[in-house]
Amino acid sequence: MAVDSLWSSVTLLLPCSSDLLDVKGHTVTVNGGAALSSAQAPAGCTSSIALDGNNDYLVVSSPLDALGAGDWAIEIPVYRSGDTVSGTGNAASILDFRTSDTQAAIQIYLYGSTSAQPNKVAVYINGADRIVSSTALSSSFKLITLAKVSGTLRLFFDGVQEGSSYTDSNTYSTTSLTIGGRYAGLSGDFRSLNGYIGPIRITFGNGRGYSSAFSPPSLPFPRPTISGVVLNSSAAPVEKTILVVDRSSQRMLGGTTSSPSTGAYLFYPPDFGECEVKRLDEVCDPPTHEAVFSLDCRGKPGGLIHTDHFGTL
């Protein structure tokens, strides 16, 4: 399993694999017909978010940490199928952190096919395009990376810089994010992207060092994962309860059950630390990797022990 050394600095990760959930726990609201699709997917992935250009978009509805004044990196594979339905000359929004039209907030958008910069990607900040790609998007995935490193903002396609660098002294304070559409409609039209979006990752810290051309990371982006197969004494798949424990603290992180047909199990721990996996002979309902609170009220000598497995108590 690949390990992300900057995992603690990742503030948003949408794997776009089996669901539209953020690994870091932000609530994602689906609007219109936005949905996972296997019709197109970037290399290494099996699905992506399909958008038809007609008010399909996602909203991260629990606040993100603001990008602030420091370094950060936004990574998102994008596939263009066509124009937004509002017209070939209109822009289609890819990511929008704004809450009003003119403010110090990031919008990444795609020019329309008959516009002044046909099918090119622009970075819009505080009322103006600050970077415009030199390459047009087509019907193939490009990993779009926008990275701020040491006060300079750069745009990359598949690790190659596009357009000019922007000296960025802004402090970004907005905590909203719209994916595949504008922050608000224009007469009810959210200028949705017509195409596909792959896994999305936002990282704080050193902008992942993207200050010059780089080899794009392999997709899907790494996340802590524990998987395996449970077999019985006859080497046949069996359904069992699997518990995952932090090796250092012995705190239970949660669990899952293995498939009765394949014996396979999958669990996502919160980080890349060492874990112990324990199998129970009986089948029960353990707290999954999505749980945030699990109270242990087991009897102990001298009375009950009340312990939250996830560290709240």
Side-chain angles (χ1 to χ4, degrees):
M1 176 181 64
V3 175
D4 184 355
S5 61
L6 296 177
W7 179 251
S8 62
S9 299
V10 174
T11 188
L12 180 81
L13 175 59
L14 271 66
C16 302
S17 53
S18 60
D19 53 45
L20 291 175
L21 299 178
D22 169 36
V23 171
K24 291 292 187 170
H26 299 97
T27 302
V28 179
T29 303
V30 178
N31 293 272
L36 284 178
S37 171
S38 58
Q40 299 292 341
C45 301
T46 58
S47 58
S48 61
I49 306 169
L51 308 165
D52 68 3
N54 187 16
N55 288 347
D56 293 352
Y57 59 95
L58 309 178
V59 175
V60 180
S61 52
S62 57
L64 282 167
D65 294 325
L67 294 175
D71 294 350
W72 43 262
I74 300 168
E75 299 163 279
I76 174 172
V78 179
Y79 178 112
R80 179 189 177 276
S81 296
D83 291 294
T84 181
V85 298
S86 62
T88 61
N90 288 332
S93 189
I94 297 172
L95 292 178
D96 196 351
F97 290 85
R98 298 176 302 164
T99 56
S100 64
D101 280 339
T102 303
Q103 66 181 149
I106 299 286
Q107 184 194 23
I108 305 173
Y109 73 87
L110 178 64
Y111 271 97
S113 61
T114 62
S115 66
Q117 301 279 0
N119 302 331
K120 293 184 178 180
V121 173
V123 180
Y124 184 87
I125 304 170
N126 203 13
D129 288 346
R130 304 303 176 179
I131 304 174
V132 178
S133 70
S134 51
T135 303
L137 280 190
S138 60
S139 296
S140 62
F141 273 101
K142 291 287 186 183
L143 177 59
I144 296 176
T145 301
L146 183 66
K148 183 177 179 180
V149 179
S150 300
T152 300
L153 194 63
R154 299 175 180 89
L155 177 69
F156 301 88
F157 285 3
D158 290 338
V160 177
Q161 185 170 354
E162 293 282 329
S164 58
S165 301
Y166 168 60
T167 300
D168 190 353
S169 60
N170 294 295
T171 297
Y172 298 107
S173 60
T174 57
T175 59
S176 64
L177 174 60
T178 304
I179 301 167
R182 295 182 83 254
Y183 76 94
L186 298 169
S187 301
D189 176 18
F190 283 79
R191 299 287 168 86
S192 297
L193 178 72
N194 183 356
Y196 300 87
I197 291 175
I200 304 168
R201 182 170 70 179
I202 301 176
T203 309
F204 290 158
N206 66 352
R208 291 194 174 265
Y210 297 150
S211 59
S212 59
F214 59 92
S215 297
S218 298
L219 296 175
F221 297 121
R223 65 180 294 190
T225 305
I226 294 173
S227 61
V229 175
V230 180
L231 305 176
N232 64 17
S233 58
S234 301
V238 64
E239 183 180 22
K240 295 291 183 181
T241 297
I242 306 298
L243 298 181
V244 179
V245 177
D246 182 280
R247 185 174 182 180
S248 176
S249 67
Q250 289 298 298
R251 179 167 55 92
M252 190 177 78
L253 301 176
T256 186
T257 55
S258 57
S259 166
S261 59
T262 66
Y265 65 87
L266 180 66
F267 182 82
Y268 297 113
D271 56 41
F272 287 96
E274 293 186 349
C275 295
E276 296 176 359
V277 176
K278 302 179 180 182
R279 188 201 73 192
L280 301 183
D281 287 334
E282 69 272 16
V283 176
C284 60
D285 186 20
T288 69
H289 59 268
E290 296 174 354
V292 295
F293 182 82
S294 175
L295 188 63
D296 184 354
C297 295
R298 293 173 293 173
K300 299 285 184 181
L304 289 175
I305 299 297
H306 298 87
T307 303
D308 168 32
H309 294 306
F310 302 102
T312 306
L313 297 177

